[in-house]
Amino acid sequence: MLGLMDVFLKNDPISLQKDILHHVEYTVARSRFSFDDFEAYQALAHSVRDRLIERWHDTLIHFKKEDPKRVYFLSLEFLMGRSLSNIVINLGIRDQFADALSQLGFDFEVLAEQEGDACLGNGGLARLSACQMDSLATLDYPAVGYGLRYQYGLFRQVIVDGFQHEQPDYWLNFGNPWEIERIHITYPVKFYGTVTDEFLNGEKCKVWVPGEMVEAVAYDNPIPGYGTRNTINLRLWAAKPSDQHDMESFNTGDYVDAVVNRQRAESISSILYPDDRSYQGKELRLKQQYFFVSASVQDIFRRFKDTHKKFDEFPEKVALQLNDTHPSLAIAEVMRVLLDEEHLSWHRAWDIICKIFSFTTHTVSPEGLEKIPVDLLGNLLPRHLQIIYDINFNFVEELKKMIGLDYDRLTRMSIVEEGAVKNIRMANLSVICSHTVNGVSRLHSELLRTKLFKDFYDLWPHKFQYKTNGVTQRRWIVVSNPSLCALISKWLGTEAWIRDIDLLIGLRDYATNAELHQEWKMVKKVNKIRLAEYIEAMSGLKVSLDAMFDVQTKRIHEYKRQLLNILGIIHRYDCIKNMDKNDRKKVVPRVCIIGGKAAPGYEIAKKVIKLCHAVAEKINNDNDIGDLLKLVFIPDYNVSVAEMVIPGADLSQHLSTAGHEASGTGSMKFLMNGCLLLATADGSTIEMVEEIGQDNVFLFGAKAHEVVALRKKGPTLKVPLQFSRVVRMIRDGHFGFEDYFKSLCDKIEGTSDYFLLGADFMSYLEAQAAADKAFVDEERWTKMSILSAAGSGRFSSDRTIQEYAENTWDIQPCRCPF
Ligand code: 26V
C-alpha cells in the first residue's frame, strides 16, 4: 500500500529525465525520439508544473486548516514575464533540472528562452504586483492575488522606418503551462437592468434585475516562494458566455444571431487597455473592472462562508488591497452583497467596509485619477450607483458636521463631481472607504498629503501611510544575473541574502578589495557581451565593450523625459563633431540605449521614438564618430528584455521632472545590479540616495519644491544656448523629418516647456560630465558600483510586503510545514 508521501515526485536526475520524456510523449504528444527545443521546453515546463502543483495543494490545504486572516490583492494588471527560471529557482531545483536536461542533450538556458512573456500589464504598477506576489509567497503570507486573464496582453512594439507600430500579443497561442484551468470554479457576473423596491419579511429592500449575465471562469497561477514550501495562488478570471447570457435574445427566434451575441461575452477579458495616462469613460473598461471585482468578491465570500457564519468576523479574516482605483468598484460590490444578499443593516455593512479595505495609489497627477461618468455607471451597474450615492450622502452629512458649510471643500471632497458630465471620483470613493491610504515612496506620500488628498489628510491624518516600493531580488538578481548572484554569495559566504536582503550590506566591507574589483568587473563584462550580442543580432550594429553602456528603458512619457536624454545625445554628438583630434582622445565612448513603448494614441511619445531613430541613423552612420558614440533603440521592451538589458548597463537614467514619478522601480533593478544612477531627486530615488550616499549617484535638476516656481517663471526663464542649439538642429532638419518633429520642438520651447527640459538642461549636462569623469577612473567606478548594489537592500519588495503586512493588512505568516 502506498503512503501518501510516496506519490510525491522525485528530483534525482533519472526521475527528472523520465518525467520530461513522459511529458514529451503524453502531454506534448511528440515522439520521445524526436522533439525540438520548443517541445522540450513544453515538456520541461510540465514537469516543473507538476512539482509546483504539489506544493500549491499543500499550501492551500494548510491555509484552509489554519484559517488565518488573508490578504486579497486586487489588481487589474500583473506583468509576470517568463515563469520557468523563476519557478525552478524558487523551488530550489534549477541545477537538478539543468543536469537532467544536459544528459538528454539540451541546455536549460536555451529552453528557458523558448518561453514567451506574460505581459498582462502596462508598466510600473503591473510589474510591482508581480514582484509583490513573489514576496508574499516567500514570506509565507496567506495571500491570494486576483486579476484578469486577458487573451491579448500588452501590444508588441514593432519599429518600421523608425516609427512604432502595434501588433496584437496573442500570448496564449502556444498554450500556457503555468495556469490551471478550473472549469468548475465559475461565478455569474451580471450587468445592466433595473432596480426595484420590494418588501422582504415586511422590510423594504432593493432588488436588482440584471439584463445581461456572463460567466467568470478561474484560471489559477501558482506562485512559489523561495526557501519555503509555500506556493500561493494568483487567480485570473476569463469571461465565458453564460447559459442565460442575454436573457432576451433566445426568445427572439433568431438562433444564429443569439449565438453570435453570446460570443460578445468573451470580449470582456479579451484585451488589456494599453494607455496608462487617463480614463476615457469606455464601457468595456468599466465592464472589465466590474467583471473581475464581482468574480473575486464572490470567491472571497464563498471562502469565508465555508468556515464562518457571522459577518462580524469578516474583518478578522479578510483584508482587501486595492491596487490603485481600478478595482475600487469592489467597495460598492461588497456593500451590495452585504446589504442585498446577506441582508445586513446599512450600519453593520458600513462598519465592515471601513475595516477591510486598504488603498494604494500609484500616481501623482490629478489627471491620473480615475473618473467614471455617472450615466455610464448607472446604465451598467444601476444598483452600485445607488450605493455609491448613499455612501456619498452619509459622508457629506458627516463632513458638514465636522467642517461646517465650506462648500468649496465639500465640493472637492464629494465622490460625485458635478459639471457638464457628472462623474464618480473613484479615488475619493477609495480614500473615504479605506482604513489606510498608501503612497509608493516618501515623496509621493508627502505630495498626497499636501496636494492630491490634502482635504482628506486634514480630516483623517491617521489613514495616510507610505510603503516605498521594492522589487524582488529573486527575479532581478538570481534569475537575470546568475554570475552576479554567484559572486555575491561567494563574498558574503552565504546564499541567505536571497531571502534576507539586508545581508547585502555586507558587500560594503569589500568595496575597495582589489580581488572583488577584478571579479566584479568580469561579471559586468560578461553581461555587456550578452547585451552587445543582442544589439548586434537585432540591429546589425556592433558596439564597443569599452564604451559606457548608458541605458534608459521604461514606458515613453513626456514626464519621464526621454527627450532630455536625446537632446543630451545630440549635444554630445555636436561637441564631438567640433573637437580636434586631441580632444577626441579624451572623449569617453558611450553606447546610449533607449527602450520603451508609447501608448498607441500618445502622439508626442511616438514622435520621441521616431526622433530617437532619426538621431541614431545620423550618429551611427557618421564615420567621423566611430565608437565614440552610438545610439540604439531596443524594440519591444518587456520583462524578459529587461532581464537582459539591466545586468549589462553601466549607467542608467531616471530623468522624470521632480514630483512626477510616484516611485519608480526600474531604478531599483539597476541599482541591485551594480549599475550607477543618473537621476533627478524624484520618487524613491531620494531614498536611494540616502542609502548609498550622494557621492555614488549622479543627481541633477530642479527639486520637487522648486518645480512650481520654475513653471511660474515660464517665459522669463532664460534657457541655455546649448539647449536652443540642439533644438534648432532638429528644427533645421539635421535629422530629417523637420515637419514631423516641429510639434515636439514646440512642446519644449518658449512658454510651453511644462516638464522643464530647458531649465534642467545644464544641470543634466554637468551630471553627464561627472559620470564620464568617474567612468575613466575604473577603480572609483567599480567601488561606486559595489556600493550601489550593497545599498540596494531597502528596495527589496520583501521589505515593502513586510511593512504592508504589519502596518496595513495586519496579517501573520502562515508557513506550510515541509
Ligand atoms: C492607468 C490607466 C488608465 C487608463 C486605463 C489603463 C491604465 C493602466 C494603468 C494606469 C496606472 C498607471 C500607474 C502606474 O503604473 N504608476 C506607476 O506605478 C509604479 C509602481 O508603484 C511607480 O513606481 C511609478 O512611479 C508609477 O508611475
Side-chain angles (χ1 to χ4, degrees):
M1 163 92 166
L2 272 175
L4 272 181
M5 301 305 273
D6 296 327
V7 293
F8 279 157
L9 298 164
K10 309 224 166 9
N11 293 326
D12 59 280
I14 299 293
S15 306
L16 293 182
Q17 286 175 38
K18 267 195 188 159
D19 260 17
I20 294 168
L21 292 176
H22 175 93
H23 280 298
V24 168
E25 188 94 27
Y26 301 108
T27 308
V28 187
R30 297 292 298 177
S31 154
R32 66 195 176 285
F33 301 109
S34 154
F35 52 99
D36 63 17
D37 281 350
F38 182 68
E39 287 149 1
Y41 156 72
Q42 287 180 302
L44 167 64
H46 278 279
S47 315
V48 173
R49 167 194 158 114
D50 293 342
R51 284 157 179 80
L52 189 59
I53 289 177
E54 288 176 346
R55 297 169 191 237
W56 176 68
H57 278 150
D58 290 355
T59 310
L60 299 185
I61 290 168
H62 183 65
F63 286 176
K64 191 159 191 174
K65 183 170 132 258
E66 296 293 313
D67 191 30
K69 180 175 181 183
R70 290 177 174 86
V71 63
Y72 295 102
F73 187 90
L74 304 186
S75 178
L76 232 67
E77 301 190 5
F78 290 88
L79 256 182
M80 306 303 283
R82 289 176 176 153
S83 287
L84 175 68
S85 293
N86 192 225
I87 290 174
V88 290
I89 284 170
N90 280 13
L91 296 185
I93 51 175
R94 186 207 169 275
D95 293 345
Q96 291 88 321
F97 266 109
D99 287 350
L101 281 170
S102 84
Q103 287 171 31
L104 291 173
F106 289 93
D107 179 38
F108 180 87
E109 288 306 320
V110 173
L111 298 196
E113 297 269 316
Q114 299 290 319
E115 182 174 355
D117 273 43
C119 297
L120 305 186
N122 271 284
L125 165 146
R127 180 55 227 180
L128 185 77
S129 313
C131 283
Q132 294 190 337
M133 288 304 290
D134 180 86
S135 291
L136 282 164
T138 298
L139 299 182
D140 299 318
Y141 286 116
V144 182
Y146 283 111
L148 263 189
R149 181 180 178 271
Y150 303 103
Q151 279 182 344
Y152 294 89
L154 186 62
F155 65 88
R156 296 235 173 99
Q157 179 191 51
V158 178
I159 305 291
V160 182
D161 295 331
F163 293 98
Q164 167 177 300
H165 291 254
E166 299 87 28
Q167 281 181 1
D169 167 47
Y170 196 65
W171 70 295
L172 294 166
N173 240 347
F174 297 101
N176 174 14
W178 308 115
E179 68 182 10
I180 301 154
E181 184 182 14
R182 313 295 300 269
I183 45 172
H184 295 300
I185 304 185
T186 66
Y187 296 100
V189 177
K190 298 158 187 171
F191 301 102
Y192 306 108
T194 50
V195 180
T196 54
D197 285 319
E198 284 182 22
F199 282 89
L200 188 86
N201 301 332
E203 291 217 21
K204 201 167 136 187
C205 61
K206 300 281 179 191
V207 174
W208 174 26
V209 187
E212 185 181 298
M213 190 151 104
V214 300
E215 209 70 39
V217 186
Y219 285 77
D220 286 347
N221 299 258
I223 311 288
Y226 176 92
T228 172
R229 200 169 172 74
N230 279 40
T231 299
I232 58 175
N233 200 14
L234 169 59
R235 178 161 284 178
L236 302 179
W237 302 105
K240 294 273 150 70
S242 125
D243 286 343
Q244 308 166 45
H245 172 63
D246 187 342
M247 289 115 177
E248 290 271 301
S249 57
F250 276 90
N251 303 324
T252 61
D254 190 336
Y255 169 74
V256 172
D257 267 1
V259 172
V260 169
N261 234 345
R262 279 166 59 85
Q263 286 201 330
R264 267 195 322 142
E266 285 171 18
S267 70
I268 294 178
S269 59
S270 76
I271 180 142
L272 166 81
Y273 275 84
D275 197 324
D276 57 359
R277 288 174 300 162
S278 58
Y279 296 85
Q280 284 146 4
K282 289 252 162 38
E283 184 180 65
L284 180 60
R285 169 80 183 171
L286 187 60
K287 264 187 146 174
Q288 289 187 333
Q289 294 187 346
Y290 180 64
F291 170 77
F292 134 81
V293 154
S294 164
S296 307
V297 167
Q298 290 182 65
D299 205 36
I300 294 165
F301 270 81
R302 195 244 331 126
R303 190 173 296 111
F304 176 79
K305 286 166 80 173
D306 270 355
T307 41
H308 298 270
K309 293 214 163 57
K310 292 211 293 274
F311 275 100
D312 304 292
E313 290 164 15
F314 203 68
E316 289 155 36
K317 295 293 167 190
V318 175
L320 277 164
Q321 168 67 25
L322 304 173
N323 199 28
D324 219 297
T325 51
H326 318 160
S328 55
L329 279 173
I331 296 166
E333 176 65 359
V334 172
M335 199 68 191
R336 187 191 67 81
V337 174
L338 292 175
L339 292 173
D340 299 356
E341 293 179 12
E342 303 297 341
H343 306 293
L344 266 62
S345 67
W346 179 277
H347 178 75
R348 271 184 77 199
W350 178 245
D351 185 55
I352 292 171
I353 294 287
C354 295
K355 290 179 179 155
I356 58 177
F357 282 101
S358 54
F359 165 55
T360 298
T361 168
H362 299 262
T363 185
V364 281
S365 72
E367 304 84 63
L369 298 179
E370 195 174 13
K371 288 176 193 171
I372 301 179
V374 164
D375 291 347
L376 186 67
L377 187 63
N379 180 43
L380 189 72
L381 301 166
R383 178 63 183 132
H384 296 78
L385 181 61
Q386 283 182 347
I387 289 173
I388 291 172
Y389 271 137
D390 289 347
I391 292 175
N392 196 44
F393 178 81
N394 291 339
F395 166 67
V396 173
E397 288 306 303
E398 280 301 304
L399 192 59
K400 281 184 196 157
K401 285 186 208 151
M402 287 183 282
I403 66 165
L405 297 180
D406 177 347
Y407 281 112
D408 283 348
R409 188 164 172 207
L410 289 169
T411 310
R412 288 195 303 267
M413 294 177 80
S414 169
I415 299 173
V416 184
E417 181 186 61
E418 304 288 342
V421 181
K422 236 180 166 183
N423 285 308
I424 298 298
R425 297 176 174 134
M426 298 312 269
N428 289 19
L429 175 70
S430 304
V431 173
I432 291 164
C433 304
S434 297
H435 57 76
T436 307
V437 179
N438 269 292
V440 288
S441 72
R442 193 174 65 216
L443 174 65
H444 181 220
S445 168
E446 196 185 307
L447 294 171
L448 294 179
R449 283 181 279 123
T450 56
K451 296 209 163 81
L452 233 59
F453 298 142
K454 180 179 185 309
D455 290 319
F456 290 105
Y457 175 70
D458 291 345
L459 191 66
W460 299 312
H462 57 276
K463 276 196 188 188
F464 288 77
Q465 304 182 349
Y466 73 93
K467 311 279 173 286
T468 298
N469 284 165
V471 301
T472 164
Q473 66 268 32
R474 267 82 59 188
R475 166 82 51 160
W476 296 106
I477 304 179
V478 185
V479 172
S480 64
N481 198 345
S483 349
L484 184 68
C485 173
L487 187 64
I488 294 174
S489 299
K490 177 185 153 189
W491 282 81
L492 294 180
T494 173
E495 287 186 348
W497 60 274
I498 300 173
R499 266 186 77 91
D500 182 1
I501 193 78
D502 289 340
L503 295 172
L504 262 194
I505 203 75
L507 286 176
R508 267 192 196 160
D509 297 345
Y510 311 104
T512 54
N513 183 300
E515 203 182 319
L516 175 60
H517 273 220
Q518 274 318 310
E519 295 177 9
W520 197 267
K521 283 190 280 186
M522 260 322 281
V523 166
K524 185 57 77 184
K525 180 106 184 246
V526 169
N527 290 318
K528 284 175 79 169
I529 292 174
R530 186 166 60 148
L531 177 50
E533 285 172 355
Y534 183 81
I535 290 172
E536 189 175 351
M538 178 195 77
S539 65
L541 192 71
K542 272 194 185 359
V543 296
S544 158
L545 293 175
D546 296 327
M548 182 200 297
F549 281 21
D550 158 354
V551 178
Q552 187 185 21
T553 44
K554 47 184 85 225
R555 282 298 284 256
I556 314 284
H557 264 279
E558 283 162 281
Y559 82 82
K560 292 179 189 281
R561 297 198 296 190
Q562 281 89 357
L563 189 49
L564 182 61
N565 188 357
I566 298 172
L567 295 181
I569 293 167
I570 299 175
H571 174 78
R572 184 175 284 265
Y573 171 64
D574 189 39
C575 288
I576 300 174
K577 289 293 279 182
N578 292 312
M579 275 177 192
D580 61 27
K581 261 201 178 136
N582 267 339
D583 280 344
R584 283 191 185 202
K585 283 192 191 130
K586 292 184 213 139
V587 171
V588 181
R590 287 233 191 181
V591 176
C592 300
I593 297 164
I594 298 179
K597 296 180 184 178
Y602 195 169
E603 208 182 314
I604 290 289
K606 288 182 137 176
K607 291 196 177 194
V608 168
I609 292 176
K610 174 62 187 170
L611 178 64
C612 181
H613 283 90
V615 174
E617 175 84 12
K618 179 98 184 172
I619 296 178
N620 298 346
N621 294 310
D622 190 335
N623 292 332
D624 214 20
I625 297 294
D627 278 344
L628 292 184
L629 186 60
K630 288 276 175 271
L631 172 56
V632 190
F633 186 90
I634 297 211
D636 204 35
Y637 186 66
N638 61 16
V639 178
S640 58
V641 174
E643 285 174 45
M644 193 256 322
V645 170
I646 292 170
D650 292 305
L651 183 78
S652 80
Q653 301 201 38
H654 307 278
L655 311 181
S656 54
T657 313
H660 285 265
E661 192 68 272
S663 163
T665 45
S667 50
M668 300 170 180
K669 300 162 195 167
F670 284 101
L671 196 72
M672 276 185 183
N673 281 275
C675 170
L676 272 54
L677 307 185
L678 191 152
T680 48
D682 200 12
S684 48
T685 308
I686 296 171
E687 293 161 65
M688 295 163 113
V689 176
E690 286 168 7
E691 292 296 306
I692 62 175
Q694 289 253 4
D695 296 349
N696 296 309
V697 188
F698 305 104
L699 270 186
F700 78 98
K703 305 278 179 288
H705 66 272
E706 298 163 344
V707 163
V708 179
L710 278 171
R711 267 190 199 134
K712 279 210 185 105
K713 279 193 192 162
T716 62
L717 258 180
K718 260 191 95 61
V719 290
L721 283 175
Q722 290 88 332
F723 183 77
S724 310
R725 182 174 161 83
V726 291
V727 180
R728 169 91 359 238
M729 285 172 75
I730 303 173
R731 287 199 189 273
D732 286 350
H734 235 81
F735 310 99
F737 303 91
E738 54 269 37
D739 293 341
Y740 180 73
F741 293 138
K742 182 176 180 302
S743 61
L744 204 52
C745 296
D746 290 345
K747 273 247 157 183
I748 53 168
E749 276 192 326
T751 47
S752 54
D753 185 14
Y754 185 77
F755 292 105
L756 301 174
L757 281 77
D760 276 350
F761 197 61
M762 285 322 284
S763 165
Y764 176 63
L765 295 183
E766 283 159 25
Q768 287 288 8
D772 283 333
K773 192 164 165 233
F775 191 71
V776 286
D777 181 349
E778 263 196 62
E779 211 174 297
R780 178 168 163 226
W781 186 273
T782 308
K783 181 179 164 200
M784 290 172 82
S785 165
I786 295 170
L787 289 175
S788 295
S792 68
R794 201 176 116 70
F795 307 99
S796 166
S797 44
D798 293 350
R799 192 256 321 137
T800 314
I801 284 299
Q802 194 161 340
E803 289 180 4
Y804 269 109
E806 288 169 6
N807 305 327
T808 299
W809 302 326
D810 190 25
I811 55 166
Q812 308 296 322
C814 181
R815 192 174 170 92
C816 190
F818 268 91

